[in-house]
């Protein structure tokens, strides 16, 4: 039956208009809402693009070296003067050597930086994965079980936080290397990487464990946990099927913010001579070797320094944006 214009107007006044935007939001999952917030954040998009470009260079380092036509250990002594300084403008920048050459050795800075990216990102991502896994497992156990388990884990956490990381690394890394290799033997790069990841794992899990413990303590009294407990669910089901799915947001944020800390930590240890050693390409070693040439060859320290700065800044900005996107109360 058709309505008259007057009846249609009256019905339109009585029935409230349908809010299509609210319906669209209501039909989205939490992950879709977080992705929508992340896409609206220009800082997140820019930092994400920077990270993708740098990570792509690191992953494709052998391909980049082949296309570039220069290897990471290849030396160009013929392009150095009698004092070992690169010939030409700004440290030997040419069409064949985009960022110039290293003084004394004559290695290409650009390709060394590409391989240095691979070293830094691999160590940082592996260390963040290990420390996050340890922190999540210990944090869930401490928060859910409580009692003696919580006391022991909290005590171990306090001890790890009380130990000075730098002094511990300075003492342990050379000692471990000497334990397996003599003073005149060359330490394999894989062993150096494993030792650094182990040192980071010994200290880096504490913040994640405390964060997860606090989240679990607030979740263990919720209705869905009580229902699972009443149905006779086991400990593994309670921890990893009921609690863990509700912790992904803080875990992802903690992981994204831990990676830049390990990048700078690895560079600092290599700068001090106890991290990645020659001939493996590394940002910390490159910056250390460039210090004597600050006045005569500023490009040598500028390019590695600005690259690691951009890498760490992009990770930190993306981590902050990810935290805002995963926060349901955020207005961004």
């Amino acid at each position: 039956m058709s309505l008259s214009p007057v009846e249609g107007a009256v019905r339109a006044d009585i029935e409230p208009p349908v809010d299509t935007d609210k319906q669209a939001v209501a039909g989205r999952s939490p992950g879709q809402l977080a992705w929508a917030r992340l896409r609206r954040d220009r800082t997140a998009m820019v930092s994400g693009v920077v990270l993708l470009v740098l990570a792509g260079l690191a992953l494709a380092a052998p391909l980049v070296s082949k296309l570039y036509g220069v290897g990471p250990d290849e030396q160009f002594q013929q392009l150095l003067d009698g004092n070992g300084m690169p010939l030409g403008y700004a440290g030997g920048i040419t069409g064949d050597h985009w960022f110039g050459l290293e003084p004394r050795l004559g290695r290409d800075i650009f390709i060394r930086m590409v391989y240095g990216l691979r070293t830094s990102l691999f160590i940082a991502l592996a260390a963040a994965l290990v420390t996050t896994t340890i922190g999540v497992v210990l944090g869930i156990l401490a928060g859910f079980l409580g009692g003696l388990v919580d006391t022991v884990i909290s005590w171990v956490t306090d001890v790890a936080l009380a130990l000075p990381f730098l002094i511990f690394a300075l003492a342990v890394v050379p000692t471990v290397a000497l334990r397996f290799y003599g003073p005149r033997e060359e330490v394999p790069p894989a062993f150096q990487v494993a030792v650094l990841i182990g040192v980071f794992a010994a200290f880096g899990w504490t913040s994640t464990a405390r964060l997860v413990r606090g989240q679990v303590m607030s979740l263990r009294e919720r209705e869905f946990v009580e229902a699972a407990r009443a149905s006779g669910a086991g400990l593994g089901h309670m921890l990893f099927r009921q609690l863990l799915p509700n912790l992904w947001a803080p875990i992802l944020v903690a992981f994204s913010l831990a990676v830049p800390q390990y990048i700078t930590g690895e560079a600092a240890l290599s700068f001090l001579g106890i991290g990645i050693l020659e001939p493996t390409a590394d940002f910390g070693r490159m910056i250390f070797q460039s210090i004597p040439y600050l006045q005569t060859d500023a490009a040598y320290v500028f390019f590695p320094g600005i690259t690691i700065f951009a890498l760490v800044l992009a990770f930190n900005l993306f981590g902050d944006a990810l935290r805002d996107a995963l926060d349901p109360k955020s207005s961004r």
Side-chain angles (χ1 to χ4, degrees), residues 208-230:
T208 303
R210 284 194 166 184
L211 174 65
V212 171
R213 174 181 176 272
Q215 294 289 326
V216 171
M217 291 181 69
S218 64
L219 289 173
R220 66 183 182 184
E221 305 300 332
R222 298 280 293 273
E223 291 80 2
F224 69 94
V225 177
E226 294 293 340
R229 185 184 289 113

Side-chain angles (χ1 to χ4, degrees), residues 91-179:
I93 295 178
T94 62
D96 295 327
H97 305 287
W98 297 349
F99 292 171
L101 300 173
E102 290 181 343
R104 191 172 59 86
L105 294 178
R107 295 179 299 191
D108 187 271
I109 294 178
F110 171 75
I111 202 64
R112 296 282 295 177
M113 286 174 48
V114 172
Y115 276 84
L117 273 173
R118 186 172 68 166
T119 302
S120 296
L121 284 176
F122 177 78
I123 293 175
L125 291 173
L129 181 62
V130 172
T131 56
T132 301
T133 302
I134 296 173
V136 168
V137 172
L138 294 181
I140 289 181
L141 289 173
F144 183 76
L145 297 179
L148 180 61
V149 174
D150 185 22
T151 301
V152 172
I153 294 177
S154 297
W155 181 82
V156 174
T157 303
D158 293 336
V159 171
L161 289 172
L163 292 173
F165 168 75
L166 186 57
I167 296 177
F168 181 86
L170 288 171
V172 169
V173 174
T175 304
V176 173
L178 290 174
R179 174 65 178 81

Side-chain angles (χ1 to χ4, degrees), residues 24-44:
V25 171
R28 295 180 183 179
S29 65
Q32 292 174 328
L33 291 174
W35 173 241
R37 294 192 191 99
L38 201 61
R39 285 189 303 174
R40 290 197 301 266
D41 193 332
R42 293 182 179 179
T43 302

Side-chain angles (χ1 to χ4, degrees), residues 67-89:
L67 295 176
Y68 189 59
V70 178
D73 299 321
E74 189 174 352
Q75 299 184 11
F76 298 88
Q77 296 287 339
Q78 71 277 11
L79 298 179
L80 305 179
D81 61 17
N83 296 320
M85 298 301 297
L87 298 171
Y89 175 75

